Amino acid sequence: MLTTLLSLNFLQKCWIWINEWDTILFLQINKKWTSSWLDIIFPWWREANTWVPFYLFLIVFGIMNFRKQFLSWLLFVIVTFTISDQFSSTLIKKWVARPRPCNDAFLTNKVRLLLENCGSGFSFTSSHATNHFALAMFLFITLHPFFKKWGYLFFVWAATIAYAQVYVGVHYPLDVICGGLLGSGIGFIIGHFFRKKNGELNDG
């Protein structure tokens, strides 16, 4: 019993320390490392509609290059996104129940919110980070024969969207870091399962 209490006390102290530094870094990104042009770009950058042309490009690219494998690949893309979103939004967020920084009573007057509203959902993990890193990892693994070293740009894309979530005031850095790790893990597993089941994508 004593050992359990000591362990819980240790974990509580660890969380207080982590949360303190996470908040400090959040305020640094949200209020200090800013510029007028990033204030315009990042709210737009994180929006799903912004990337519709990119998704259409992937679909056209897939139709032109994968042919018989395209429908299977597209199905796996949808599965990757669905699983990552459900893990983050339905399971982890409801279990952890961490308020967003822009909804935190202690940070109300400190957060620089660049969106019209904060959102009613919880903060940990960031679904934006989870979903985009899952997709980035899946694309990196499955499209490697076509993009090769340029495939690393998928991770740059996901990382900038994750960073934007902190910059605009709706997530802590830990939310997007853990979301990125979770999404990368999901994308890695599904990407390799796709390759095992379908082989490498080719123009056949």
Side-chain angles (χ1 to χ4, degrees):
M1 182 68 177
L2 179 61
T3 303
T4 302
L5 289 174
L6 288 173
S7 297
L8 289 173
N9 187 49
F10 174 75
L11 291 173
Q12 185 179 31
K13 287 182 177 179
C14 285
W15 170 245
I16 291 172
W17 181 83
I18 291 171
N19 186 62
E20 180 181 345
W21 282 100
D22 198 27
T23 302
I24 291 172
L25 183 56
F26 164 77
L27 291 173
Q28 192 73 19
I29 294 171
N30 178 249
K31 299 193 73 173
K32 302 289 186 180
W33 300 339
T34 62
S35 71
S36 56
W37 64 276
L38 287 178
D39 288 355
I40 296 171
I41 290 174
F42 274 144
W44 166 80
W45 192 262
R46 61 175 290 283
E47 289 294 329
N49 291 339
T50 301
W51 300 104
V52 169
F54 172 62
Y55 300 137
L56 290 176
F57 163 76
L58 289 176
I59 291 173
V60 173
F61 181 86
I63 292 172
M64 293 178 64
N65 290 278
F66 312 158
R67 299 182 184 178
K68 294 178 181 179
Q69 296 171 297
F70 171 71
L71 288 179
S72 178
W73 177 81
L74 182 60
L75 176 62
F76 270 80
V77 168
I78 295 171
V79 168
T80 300
F81 181 88
T82 302
I83 291 176
S84 65
D85 189 64
Q86 289 303 305
F87 257 93
S88 177
S89 299
T90 305
L91 296 178
I92 298 178
K93 278 187 176 180
K94 291 183 179 179
W95 177 59
V96 177
R98 186 188 196 188
R100 293 178 183 271
C102 47
N103 280 332
D104 191 313
F106 295 102
L107 294 176
T108 301
N109 298 321
K110 297 181 180 179
V111 176
R112 203 172 59 104
L113 182 63
L114 301 183
L115 306 180
E116 291 184 2
N117 59 75
C118 180
S120 57
F122 292 117
S123 191
F124 186 92
T125 54
S126 164
S127 295
H128 269 71
T130 306
N131 296 342
H132 286 88
F133 269 96
L135 184 56
M137 180 64 79
F138 180 82
L139 295 176
F140 176 77
I141 291 172
T142 59
L143 299 183
H144 182 72
F146 297 91
F147 289 91
K148 302 191 184 309
K149 65 179 182 179
W150 293 104
Y152 287 104
L153 291 176
F154 292 127
F155 296 109
V156 175
W157 166 69
T160 55
I161 292 173
Y163 185 85
Q165 291 294 90
V166 181
Y167 189 94
V168 302
V170 296
H171 279 290
Y172 293 97
L174 189 64
D175 300 337
V176 301
I177 291 171
C178 292
L181 292 173
L182 173 63
S184 295
I186 292 171
F188 182 85
I189 292 170
I190 299 177
H192 280 284
F193 181 76
F194 173 85
R195 289 186 61 177
K196 184 177 181 180
K197 180 179 175 60
N198 296 276
E200 283 198 354
L201 291 169
N202 53 67
D203 57 7

